Amino acid sequence: MAREGAIYVCQACGAVHAKWSGQCPACGEWNTLVEEVQAARPPGGLKPAKGARQRGISFETLEAEDADPPRIATGVSEFDRVCGGGVVPGSAILLAGDPGVGKSTLLLQVCANAALGGARVAYVSGEEAVEQIRSRAARMGVSQAPVKLAAETALRDILDAIRREPFDLVIVDSIQTLWSDALEAGPGSVAQVRACAGELVRLAKKKGVSVILVGHVTKDGQIAGPRVVEHMVDAVLSFEGERGYPFRILRAAKNRFGATDEIGVFEMGDAGLREVRNPSALFLGEGGERAAGAAVFAGIEGSRPVLVEFQALVAPSAYGTPRRAVVGWDSGRLAMVLAVLEARCGLGFGDRDVYLNVAGGLRINEPAADLAAAAALASSALETPLPQGCVVFGEISLSGEVRSVGRMEARMREAAKLGFDCALAPNAAGEGSPPLTVMGSGRLAEAVRRIGDEAWSTQVVRA
Ligand code: TYD
Ligand code: MG
């Protein structure tokens, strides 16, 4: 029987139910509903109490009286850029990522750099002992930074310390380890995480201290338990990396103070994370001859052009149902491009396995990559390599048209800088004076014909 005032909160998705059940009706997880007792409603509802002086709210204007306070530049420029140009004073940031991806390493680097730059910084760890953090700092060569370090999980003590000392930036690693004695629920439960994050965010806003909370991610990529925390904070950053690759990518999933399409690229090494200023060189991999099935995509990630190699393999299938496997790109988009190649260009994939891979562990979401994927697939199917100095970009419509995309000039300039000399691109890319030879195609069939046409390579050399 449900108790008076009790609600049941799913620890997996945060959904609230009036009745207990073995399976959460919202997300389908088993044994995740936990009882929470709600405070009784005050008598008289939300009307002002009799006799009490009416407080009401006072309204403000949109125009600020004084200029925005300067952002805290942490000096880790890839991190600052993803934040929208430094950390806004009084803001709360959630940094989410898989265990072991390097969240603690990144934040130690960020706070050590900020402290060396003059910010007053505290690093509170609920996961590691002070000694462990010290040895990591020594390995990263940042032991001299004036960071105030503590291993603590009691929310009350952490809040107290923030109230007492004038910090600019406080890092809490991780929100799941914090524990408030005002609640009965155990650490890591939705109720605790919500309460602890709420208190920290409130204090941050009130005192103008920026807080960065670390959040763990479950196996299916959700920020464990506290989806609720995502709504409380000003920015949600996710730190990602493919297993087996040293590259780590920082993305903003939500940002009240900046764009959400920026990425920061890092490389994990022996002495911590190294910032990668020129990701194109990294994602293009080893130089040398590009084989059939490889196409270099001139993409834009956030505000930066990034070149990355698409690799396709089209091979006869041994099974009745051919395989389609894709890494780093959307499988729905692959299905669409295959369908357009079949219907509009006469290439058959019905009895062939198709594998598509984005090199370097990067994930591409831009529609501008359609033509690069199609070029890689066609090149593999026709067993003809693309010309060596060629980059590809363009969106493909279902009718087989190649459409122009944003910032074509910037894409081509980056390619030219890295030694590429031609682009397989929408017709509009050739307008004006492009920095490299443009092989414009209005239709996908035309682009595929170009790829199949072996004379093309020599033609480009002459152009
Ligand atoms: P960590 O920051 O502890 O990850 P998280 O806080 O996200 O769980 O990083 C753990 C991994 O990073 C670990 O597998 C070791 C690796 N690492 C390096 O390769 N080089 C380094 O200098 C450091 C500090 C960590
Ligand atoms: Mg950690």
Side-chain angles (χ1 to χ4, degrees):
M1 247 245 342
R3 273 205 282 150
E4 185 77 24
I7 53 169
Y8 297 87
V9 181
C10 173
Q11 304 296 296
C13 71
V16 180
H17 305 285
K19 273 197 299 197
W20 188 87
S21 63
Q23 187 184 22
C24 171
C27 69
E29 285 290 320
W30 288 92
N31 299 323
T32 52
L33 295 201
V34 169
E35 178 181 319
E36 274 179 31
V37 181
Q38 271 183 317
R41 283 185 71 188
L46 291 174
K47 280 194 251 108
K50 275 218 183 77
R53 214 153 53 87
Q54 204 146 354
R55 268 194 286 165
I57 50 173
S58 60
F59 290 97
E60 309 275 348
T61 57
L62 275 177
E63 197 179 29
E65 270 154 27
D66 28 57
D68 280 346
R71 294 181 181 230
I72 307 168
T74 66
V76 180
S77 59
E78 294 287 302
F79 179 86
D80 289 344
R81 211 194 36 254
V82 175
C83 290
V87 179
V88 174
S91 68
I93 297 173
L94 176 69
L95 176 72
D98 290 328
V101 71
K103 301 180 293 298
S104 305
T105 309
L106 174 66
L107 290 181
L108 190 58
Q109 202 142 330
V110 162
C111 74
N113 254 297
L116 287 170
R120 294 159 298 183
V121 182
Y123 185 103
V124 182
S125 178
E127 308 219 321
E128 288 163 303
V130 168
E131 270 317 307
Q132 274 174 296
I133 302 164
R134 279 197 188 132
S135 80
R136 177 184 290 138
R139 190 166 151 187
M140 293 164 53
V142 296
S143 299
Q144 302 308 315
V147 172
K148 295 209 166 173
L149 186 61
E152 184 58 69
T153 56
L155 179 70
R156 187 183 292 273
D157 296 345
I158 297 170
L159 292 175
D160 200 43
I162 301 176
R163 270 190 216 106
R164 260 187 297 117
E165 290 198 44
F167 289 118
D168 298 309
L169 177 65
V170 174
I171 290 174
V172 176
D173 185 0
S174 66
I175 186 71
Q176 276 98 349
T177 54
L178 291 198
W179 163 82
S180 159
D181 54 17
L183 293 179
E184 276 176 33
S189 64
V190 170
Q192 281 285 2
V193 168
R194 189 172 45 198
C196 293
E199 288 291 332
L200 280 165
V201 172
R202 211 166 306 133
L203 185 60
K205 296 255 180 289
K206 192 165 144 210
K207 286 209 60 181
V209 183
S210 309
V211 290
I212 304 181
L213 310 174
V214 172
H216 290 294
V217 161
T218 55
K219 53 189 181 312
D220 51 355
Q222 301 284 349
I223 295 171
R227 282 232 77 128
V228 270
V229 177
E230 289 186 43
H231 304 295
M232 289 179 196
V233 295
D234 300 302
V236 178
L237 309 183
S238 66
F239 202 36
E240 306 161 359
E242 288 284 330
R243 212 162 278 280
Y245 288 104
F247 320 131
R248 302 283 181 270
I249 292 167
L250 185 69
R251 273 178 210 280
K254 157 182 173 178
N255 193 352
R256 287 187 184 147
F257 305 115
T260 52
D261 52 4
E262 278 303 342
I263 63 166
V265 184
F266 297 88
E267 188 176 0
M268 180 67 90
D270 290 337
L273 291 157
R274 191 177 65 81
E275 293 181 63
V276 178
R277 299 277 160 78
N278 182 2
S280 295
L282 189 80
F283 294 122
L284 277 183
E286 313 299 319
E289 295 272 292
R290 269 175 227 292
V296 176
F297 168 50
I300 299 278
E301 286 286 343
S303 58
R304 268 191 310 186
V306 175
L307 300 194
V308 50
E309 188 181 80
F310 272 63
Q311 303 162 343
L313 178 63
V314 178
S317 179
Y319 307 99
T321 316
R323 281 198 60 143
R324 266 85 180 104
V326 52
V327 177
W329 204 47
D330 183 50
S331 56
R333 208 86 199 168
L334 172 66
M336 186 202 92
V337 167
L338 286 176
V340 177
L341 282 169
E342 291 207 336
R344 314 280 174 203
C345 312
L347 288 177
F349 296 97
D351 53 355
R352 299 206 260 179
D353 289 340
V354 173
Y355 303 91
L356 186 75
N357 178 38
V358 176
L362 193 64
R363 211 189 141 72
I364 301 289
N365 296 315
E366 265 192 293
D370 290 353
L371 189 60
L377 291 163
S379 153
S380 176
L382 300 169
E383 291 177 38
T384 315
L386 269 74
Q388 294 303 317
C390 183
V391 292
V392 189
F393 58 87
E395 186 178 345
I396 296 172
S397 73
L398 285 177
S399 60
E401 230 183 313
V402 176
R403 298 223 173 132
S404 57
V405 294
R407 306 197 50 202
M408 296 197 282
E409 171 82 26
R411 295 171 199 267
M412 290 189 282
R413 237 181 297 120
E414 172 81 0
K417 211 164 68 191
L418 287 160
F420 288 81
D421 53 20
C422 83
L424 183 60
N427 278 327
E431 287 164 13
S433 47
L436 29 75
T437 313
V438 173
M439 300 281 123
S441 307
R443 306 200 58 82
L444 182 59
E446 198 182 327
V448 168
R449 210 171 314 120
R450 278 221 160 92
I451 294 168
D453 184 3
E454 288 187 50
W456 185 32
S457 345
T458 49
Q459 191 187 326
V460 171
V461 173
R462 267 189 277 112

